[in-house]
Amino acid sequence: NESSFQFDELTEKLYSWSANGADKVKLNQYTLDYLVPSYDMVALKEVTEDQLYEEVPMRGEYTQLPEIPDRVRELALEITEGKTNYYDKVKAIENYFDRPEFVYDKTDIPYPEGSQDYVDQFLFETMRGYCDNFSSAMIVLLRANDIPSRWAKGYTTGVTATYKGKQVKKVTNNNAHSWVEVYFPGTG
């Protein structure tokens, strides 16, 4: 029984459809082939501001921000000061979190109080958190630099386990993860 997949640009979800494309279908089994992407560093560093404005799909969506504290915006610009291309700006922001005062920790993470900004609290006060803290802060710093980016949430591959005599992948909440995606025209 043939079926096809269609990408919904509005929801960014992939759906399986019947062979004639008339009905969504639930597949009991499917095979997915995946090519590991490779990126040309020279091409990434050559992305121009004009390309970002002209070629980035849904650019406004991927650069929008709520009202953020001034010191967050100032930090974003300070981190990228002197960087002449978008790749180097992205790497500067990513590397900012390698500083020793930032600690990856999943236990007893403080929550913002009242109207306190989540990212501001992480960047300037606690500097301690897990993937959601780091990835949210990176997205805000990127977007404050007008760099199209998005926050993604999913799971790592899990661990191999045996279930009813079969090898399966066991994926639990411990495999939950969030990360940052940045769009580079001509590359992805």
Side-chain angles (χ1 to χ4, degrees):
N1 205 3
E2 291 282 324
S3 61
S4 64
F5 293 98
Q6 292 181 3
F7 180 71
D8 184 324
E9 289 186 22
L10 182 62
T11 63
E12 297 185 353
K13 291 184 179 181
L14 193 63
Y15 294 99
S16 53
W17 290 82
S18 60
N20 63 9
D23 301 304
K24 286 184 184 178
V25 294
K26 182 177 180 181
L27 301 176
N28 294 325
Q29 182 177 343
Y30 60 92
T31 302
L32 176 69
D33 292 321
Y34 177 79
L35 298 175
V36 176
S38 64
Y39 302 102
D40 180 346
M41 298 304 273
V42 173
L44 290 175
K45 289 185 175 203
E46 290 177 350
V47 170
T48 67
E49 190 170 330
D50 288 342
Q51 282 178 292
L52 286 171
Y53 280 100
E54 294 169 10
E55 299 177 27
V56 178
M58 299 179 281
R59 184 175 191 290
E61 180 181 338
Y62 292 132
T63 55
Q64 69 181 337
L65 280 171
E67 189 174 321
I68 60 173
D70 289 341
R71 67 181 183 169
V72 173
R73 192 172 301 279
E74 290 164 6
L75 175 64
L77 298 176
E78 179 185 312
I79 293 169
T80 59
E81 188 174 7
K83 305 300 179 203
T84 58
N85 64 70
Y86 283 90
Y87 177 82
D88 288 341
K89 289 180 180 187
V90 171
K91 289 304 284 183
I93 292 169
E94 178 186 39
N95 293 336
Y96 182 77
F97 296 105
D98 286 339
R99 297 163 39 140
E101 55 267 34
F102 285 100
V103 177
Y104 191 91
D105 189 359
K106 295 192 288 186
T107 57
D108 299 323
I109 303 305
Y111 290 98
E113 295 179 14
S115 63
Q116 187 178 29
D117 184 83
Y118 178 80
V119 169
D120 182 84
Q121 180 215 31
F122 173 70
L123 289 172
F124 295 101
E125 296 173 25
T126 64
M127 297 181 197
R128 187 170 64 87
Y130 54 100
C131 57
D132 289 354
N133 302 89
F134 284 87
S135 58
S136 296
M138 186 171 175
I139 291 291
V140 169
L141 295 173
L142 287 165
R143 289 181 175 197
N145 274 281
D146 210 28
I147 297 173
S149 51
R150 67 182 178 184
W151 188 82
K153 185 82 172 170
Y155 292 88
T156 60
T157 57
V159 296
T160 302
T162 303
Y163 178 74
K164 295 185 178 180
K166 292 184 179 180
Q167 293 285 37
V168 297
K169 284 288 189 175
K170 181 178 180 182
V171 179
T172 68
N173 279 341
N174 286 333
N175 298 105
H177 189 56
S178 63
W179 59 92
V180 175
E181 294 180 340
V182 177
Y183 185 81
F184 286 88
T187 303

